[in-house]
Amino acid sequence: MHPIRTLVVAGFVLTGCIAAAPPEAPPDPALASKLRQLSDNNACSDRIAGALTAAGVTADRITDYDLAPAATGGRRNGGTRRNLQRQAWLKMAGGGNVVVQYEPSSCRISLVYARDGATLPG
């Protein structure tokens, strides 16, 4: 019975970690400027820059920016999937990407993570 209880507690802990929004900070001005430039003035650039600043990413590490829809939400309206979030894929100097997932109407950041060999300093 003890292992089952441990699994239940671990599940609650993981659920809490997944549901927590990533930290944000006032955006580094150089990083915010670079993101505005690379993203053609995306309305959420400053908020994305704040999340990256909190994660320890600096402007000199970012070499490119790509915007993609995030597959979120369930099936609605006759089986079509609603994409309510977007992902900013930031190519990093030295390789890899940092991905920032956000809701475009409110600019609320939901995830920040490294992919393809990139690392987050913070």
Side-chain angles (χ1 to χ4, degrees):
M1 188 71 82
H2 182 65
I4 293 172
R5 212 175 354 198
T6 303
L7 287 174
V8 171
V9 171
F12 285 126
V13 170
L14 287 175
T15 301
C17 291
I18 292 170
E24 291 185 54
D28 170 57
L31 181 57
S33 176
K34 186 165 195 174
L35 288 182
R36 282 192 296 273
Q37 176 190 4
L38 290 173
S39 72
D40 284 335
N41 289 315
N42 179 326
C44 296
S45 292
D46 286 348
R47 195 84 183 261
I48 293 168
L52 293 170
T53 299
V57 176
T58 56
D60 61 332
R61 291 189 60 205
I62 297 173
T63 62
D64 201 5
Y65 176 104
D66 190 27
L67 187 64
T72 60
R75 302 264 179 208
R76 302 189 202 279
N77 300 331
T80 59
R81 183 174 289 277
R82 287 180 67 190
N83 287 324
L84 302 176
Q85 295 200 341
R86 298 287 180 261
Q87 291 179 334
W89 284 70
L90 304 155
K91 185 174 181 177
M92 307 304 283
N97 297 284
V98 170
V99 182
V100 180
Q101 187 167 315
Y102 67 98
E103 203 287 316
S105 65
S106 68
C107 297
R108 185 184 66 80
I109 307 296
S110 58
L111 291 171
V112 177
Y113 59 95
R115 292 278 314 254
D116 308 320
T119 58
L120 291 172

